[in-house]
């Protein structure tokens, strides 16, 4: 695993009055440029500030969701179920797609600029000389905002890994690991067991734990056993029976959970939906949820940027897949469009396994449009072109941003063609945000 760069601890020079005058754009610019290295795993610094402000012990039940893929889908399903059941739900997710405020929500509504600026001001003043990263500042700001609003349930999405992720300063009443696959190996390790060990760091002694995929790494099973955490594994304690237009969630006979039959198919993977419903049933003593609420939530779940299809003369498929496992799912989806000519707008961060982000789509994409990202972790044009040469995919141009690449693809495409935009949240968000602005302007 790579060693983090030294952290320079600096005391902020701004007074509390100056902090309160900052706009949201000024705050985000400051946080984005605070450190050369964006990721500094560890809990000691953030825990110290959290204790100053009494933020590490929320007054409501907490569900923490970790995993390689499917975190956002599971969080969104939980949010939809509890909101539909009439509870006051706080949700913390990352990254955002269009606007930063999307990361912190209460009852589906993103935090306002004013509340976010106030939260940042409180955290910044409290930290003194303690260095906090972009994600740590955001996590504390979210916890401060949630504490002020007296929630019924809080749902936290892990940013990276689990054991040393900023969200892990909070003890969850229930933990979910969606999948364990290869991603962020520089930080989490190079084997599935090593990655599983890091993700299992969100489990708590005696608290329920759900694993929403097959073949859990040994490290995850061992962690659950050592913590005596009541464990619910996909295809063991619960399983999915799928029909053409509906699906059933069936529980092992040894469990006292009622099977849920005839659920509408949601716009997310059924494993994610099953994990969310199971979590709600396990916490039903404190937060009862009726069958009708599960039915309603399955019909209303929607996650922008996840296999999101915009139909038209030339259709566009947006997908934020950014690791090998999620790209394989995208490849499976593209087989539905095998009669169409497929154009791919692609870019990625340099710390990703870019070769394995493109190989699953090599045989189904007819033309590629590479682009650079405006991000400290972005892959350079030379790097992208070199990897495509290694993959024996002929590409000669790398555009300066994803929007230009997309507009070029749009000009080249013919009616009936499909453009897929993928590789990173940043790739998708750049195109979606600018297209939305152009549509509003016109």
């Amino acid at each position: 695993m790579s060693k983090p760069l030294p952290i320079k601890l600096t005391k902020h020079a701004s007074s509390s009055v100056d902090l309160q005058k900052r706009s949201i754009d000024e705050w985000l610019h400051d946080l984005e440029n605070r450190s050369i290295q964006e990721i500094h795993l560890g809990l000691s610094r953030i825990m110290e500030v959290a204790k100053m402000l009494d933020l590490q012990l929320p007054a409501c039940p907490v569900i923490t969701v970790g995993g390689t893929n499917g975190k956002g889908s599971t969080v969104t399903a939980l949010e939809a179920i509890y909101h539909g059941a009439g509870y006051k739900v706080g949700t913390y997710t990352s990254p955002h797609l269009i606007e930063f405020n999307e990361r912190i929500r209460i009852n589906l509504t993103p935090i306002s600029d004013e509340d976010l600026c106030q939260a940042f001001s409180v955290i910044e003043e409290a930290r003194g000389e303690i260095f906090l990263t972009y994600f740590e500042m955001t996590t504390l700001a979210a916890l401060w905002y949630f504490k002020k609003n007296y929630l019924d349930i809080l749902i936290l999405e892990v940013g990276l890994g689990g054991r040393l992720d900023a969200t892990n300063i909070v003890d969850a009443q229930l933990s979910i690991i969606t999948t364990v696959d290869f991603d962020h190996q520089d930080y989490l390790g190079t084997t599935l067991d090593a990655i599983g060990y890091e993700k299992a760091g969100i489990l708590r002694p005696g608290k329920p734990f759900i694993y929403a995929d097959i073949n859990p790494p040994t490290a995850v099973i061992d962690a659950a056993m050592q913590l005596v955490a009541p464990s619910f594994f996909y295809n063991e304690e619960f399983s999915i029976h799928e029909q053409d237009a509906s699906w059933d969630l069936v529980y092992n006979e040894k469990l006292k959970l009622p099977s849920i039959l005839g659920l509408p198919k949601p716009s997310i993977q059924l494993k994610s939906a099953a994990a969310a419903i199971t979590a709600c049933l396990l916490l039903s003593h404190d937060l009862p949820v009726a069958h009708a609420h599960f039915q309603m939530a399955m019909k209303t779940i929607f996650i922008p940027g996840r296999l999101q299809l915009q139909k038209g003369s030339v259709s566009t498929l947006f997908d934020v897949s950014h690791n090998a496992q999620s790209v394989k799912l995208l490849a499976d989806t593209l087989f539905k469009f095998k009669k169409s000519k497929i154009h791919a707008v692609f870019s990625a961060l340099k710390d990703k396994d870019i070769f394995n982000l493109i190989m699953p789509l090599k045989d189904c994409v007819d033309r590629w449009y590479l682009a650079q990202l405006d991000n400290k972790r972005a892959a350079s044009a030379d790097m992208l072109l070199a990897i495509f040469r290694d993959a024996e995919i002929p590409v000669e141009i790398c555009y300066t941003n994803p929007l230009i690449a997309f507009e070029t693809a749009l000009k080249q495409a013919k009616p009936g063609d499909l453009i897929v935009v993928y590789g990173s949240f940043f790739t998708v968000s750049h195109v979606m945000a600018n297209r939305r602005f152009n549509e509003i302007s016109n």
Side-chain angles (χ1 to χ4, degrees):
M1 288 183 279
S2 64
K3 294 182 179 179
L5 297 174
I7 302 173
K8 184 179 180 182
L9 302 181
T10 56
K11 185 174 178 65
H12 54 76
S14 302
S15 68
S16 59
V17 175
D18 293 334
L19 294 176
Q20 292 170 10
K21 290 181 179 179
R22 285 189 187 179
S23 68
I24 188 60
D25 290 337
E26 289 171 329
W27 273 114
L28 295 179
H29 180 270
D30 174 56
L31 295 177
E32 288 164 1
N33 292 280
R34 213 162 248 209
S35 174
I36 297 173
Q37 181 172 319
E38 289 186 56
I39 300 170
H40 296 279
L41 294 177
L43 301 182
S44 58
R45 292 173 289 106
I46 185 174
M47 181 62 87
E48 189 174 346
V49 181
K51 287 181 177 178
M52 292 179 195
L53 298 170
D54 192 23
L55 300 179
Q56 80 280 19
L57 298 170
C60 65
V62 177
I63 299 174
T64 299
V65 182
T68 305
N69 292 303
K71 296 190 298 290
S73 297
T74 305
V75 167
T76 301
L78 286 164
E79 184 180 33
I81 293 167
Y82 279 122
H83 179 257
Y87 294 109
K88 190 171 184 181
V89 187
T91 310
Y92 178 54
T93 64
S94 65
H96 60 280
L97 191 60
I98 304 298
E99 295 179 342
F100 184 91
N101 309 53
E102 298 166 19
R103 295 176 178 230
I104 304 170
R105 303 188 295 271
I106 292 179
N107 287 349
L108 311 180
T109 303
I111 186 173
S112 68
D113 287 352
E114 292 76 17
D115 283 331
L116 187 53
C117 288
Q118 184 183 7
F120 281 144
S121 296
V122 171
I123 306 305
E124 182 75 352
E125 191 166 5
R127 75 173 179 88
E129 296 184 354
I130 300 171
F131 174 85
L132 293 174
T133 65
Y134 178 105
F135 188 72
E136 289 165 345
M137 280 285 294
T138 306
T139 302
L140 290 173
L143 294 174
W144 180 85
Y145 177 64
F146 294 144
K147 180 180 178 180
K148 192 175 69 167
N149 281 279
Y150 305 103
L151 305 175
D152 294 315
I153 180 74
L154 173 56
I155 305 163
L156 300 176
E157 179 184 345
V158 172
L160 192 157
R163 183 175 65 92
L164 298 176
D165 186 78
T167 57
N168 207 31
I169 63 171
V170 175
D171 289 332
Q173 276 64 52
L174 182 146
S175 302
I176 299 172
I177 297 178
T178 54
T179 62
V180 174
D181 206 346
F182 292 104
D183 198 12
H184 298 293
Q185 288 98 310
D186 286 348
Y187 294 94
L188 304 181
T190 57
T191 67
L192 289 181
D193 256 344
I195 296 170
Y197 170 77
E198 294 296 331
K199 293 188 183 299
I202 65 173
L203 276 62
R204 292 296 187 269
K207 301 298 183 182
F209 156 61
I210 298 168
Y211 190 81
D213 200 8
I214 59 173
N215 302 323
T218 302
V220 173
I221 298 171
D222 289 346
M225 291 179 63
Q226 290 168 11
L227 294 168
V228 197
S231 300
F232 301 80
F233 290 92
Y234 174 69
N235 265 3
E236 293 186 21
E237 281 71 29
F238 66 100
S239 59
I240 292 167
H241 296 173
E242 186 174 357
Q243 293 87 42
D244 289 340
S246 64
W247 64 290
D248 303 331
L249 178 53
V250 179
Y251 292 99
N252 188 303
E253 292 179 358
K254 296 179 182 179
L255 302 180
K256 295 181 180 179
L257 296 178
S259 295
I260 310 294
L261 307 179
L263 287 162
K265 285 191 175 179
S267 61
I268 59 173
Q269 287 195 70
L270 295 184
K271 292 177 186 177
S272 296
I277 292 173
T278 302
C280 293
L281 291 174
L282 291 171
L283 297 180
S284 61
H285 177 75
D286 295 319
L287 299 167
V289 177
H291 184 277
H293 299 132
F294 297 132
Q295 293 272 348
M296 180 174 61
M298 295 303 103
K299 294 177 182 178
T300 59
I301 293 169
F302 172 70
I303 308 177
R306 266 82 161 189
L307 296 174
Q308 180 181 348
L309 180 65
Q310 290 188 353
K311 294 183 179 180
S313 174
V314 175
S315 297
T316 303
L317 183 67
F318 293 102
D319 192 56
V320 296
S321 51
H322 55 276
N323 55 53
Q325 187 184 51
S326 57
V327 172
K328 288 175 184 174
L329 177 63
L330 172 60
D332 292 341
T333 302
L334 289 180
F335 276 111
K336 300 175 184 177
F337 299 90
K338 57 186 177 182
K339 294 182 180 179
S340 304
K341 186 174 183 179
I342 297 176
H343 307 253
V345 174
F346 176 83
S347 195
L349 301 178
K350 63 185 176 184
D351 55 5
K352 296 295 181 179
D353 183 359
I354 296 176
F355 186 84
N356 284 318
L357 294 186
I358 60 178
M359 289 305 292
L361 269 61
K362 180 179 178 180
D363 294 332
C364 59
V365 170
D366 297 283
R367 185 164 179 176
W368 294 82
Y369 305 79
L370 305 188
Q372 292 178 273
L373 297 173
D374 182 17
N375 186 281
K376 287 183 285 188
R377 293 163 56 204
S380 67
D382 289 342
M383 181 180 182
L384 290 170
L385 290 168
I387 292 171
F388 270 75
R389 283 196 298 271
D390 291 342
E392 298 182 346
I393 300 175
V395 182
E396 297 180 357
I397 300 173
C398 183
Y399 298 94
T400 53
N401 66 61
L403 183 61
I404 294 175
F406 176 81
E407 290 174 339
T408 304
L410 203 56
K411 291 176 183 177
Q412 297 289 337
K414 296 180 180 179
D417 288 358
L418 174 73
I419 301 174
V420 56
V421 182
Y422 87 104
S424 167
F425 271 84
F426 301 103
T427 311
V428 172
S429 65
H430 189 90
V431 176
M432 289 186 75
N434 282 282
R435 285 198 79 197
R436 187 176 71 168
F437 175 79
N438 291 336
E439 289 166 1
I440 292 172
S441 299
N442 294 330

